[in-house]
Amino acid sequence: MMPPQVGQQPDPQPLWNTADDVPPPPRGPGVVAPFASPPRDRDLRGLWIGLGVGGLIMVLCCVGGVIGIAFLLPYADSIGKGQVAAVVENYLTAVRDRDFVAARRQLCESEQRTHSLGWFSDHFGANPVTDFTVNADDVVISNRITVPARVEEGSQWTQKEFLMQQDGAQYVICGGVD
């Protein structure tokens, strides 16, 4: 660095020592550091209105879900009863039409082992099923599923109860065939 000549001002000294230092803000009146603090809305009314509307929507969703489940449960029960009653109707229709292969498909594996096609021919050959009624409202679903049916064999009406069980995604008859 050269000494200053007459009439020249000396070079100002830098305010920071190394290149990694950040320079301080300039001095003087009215100079403010940028982003000292974010502006704050002094009126919290909008916040409380938003929280209130959000809370109301949450309560409505919860109440709606509870009411929806309360209305859905009776329909789910009737759908299940209708499904098991349909299996018994399919079985009795196949027996009435003497389609013993289709009737046998409605049985669980243990019933299929004990009731061969010959058994169906022998059993329903002497007393053929001529008519039947199955009412889905009479189905009892508890520890076991029972489907009552009125069956006309020959010329005589008898009351039968078919025991059902679930086999994968479908229901099968697993008792009451005899």
Side-chain angles (χ1 to χ4, degrees), residues 94-112:
V95 168
R96 182 188 65 201
D97 297 342
R98 303 188 59 79
D99 184 4
F100 300 133
V101 174
R104 198 164 174 265
R105 268 192 241 123
Q106 304 299 320
L107 304 178
C108 66
E109 288 184 29
S110 64
E111 290 289 319
Q112 285 182 8

Side-chain angles (χ1 to χ4, degrees), residues 93-176:
T93 300
V95 168
R96 182 188 65 201
D97 297 342
R98 303 188 59 79
D99 184 4
F100 300 133
V101 174
R104 198 164 174 265
R105 268 192 241 123
Q106 304 299 320
L107 304 178
C108 66
E109 288 184 29
S110 64
E111 290 289 319
Q112 285 182 8
R113 283 193 295 272
T114 58
H115 297 90
S116 64
L117 291 176
W119 179 89
F120 277 98
S121 297
D122 294 342
H123 187 75
F124 293 111
N127 290 327
V129 172
T130 54
D131 198 10
F132 62 89
T133 58
V134 178
N135 188 357
D137 293 333
D138 296 337
V139 173
V140 177
I141 299 177
S142 59
N143 291 340
R144 60 185 196 166
I145 303 170
T146 307
V147 180
R150 288 190 60 220
V151 180
E152 183 181 18
E153 294 178 304
S155 61
Q156 188 175 17
W157 284 91
T158 58
Q159 185 73 24
K160 292 193 173 202
E161 285 191 353
F162 295 94
L163 300 177
M164 308 292 291
Q165 75 179 30
Q166 194 166 4
D167 183 23
Q170 65 184 7
Y171 289 99
V172 291
I173 299 171
C174 208

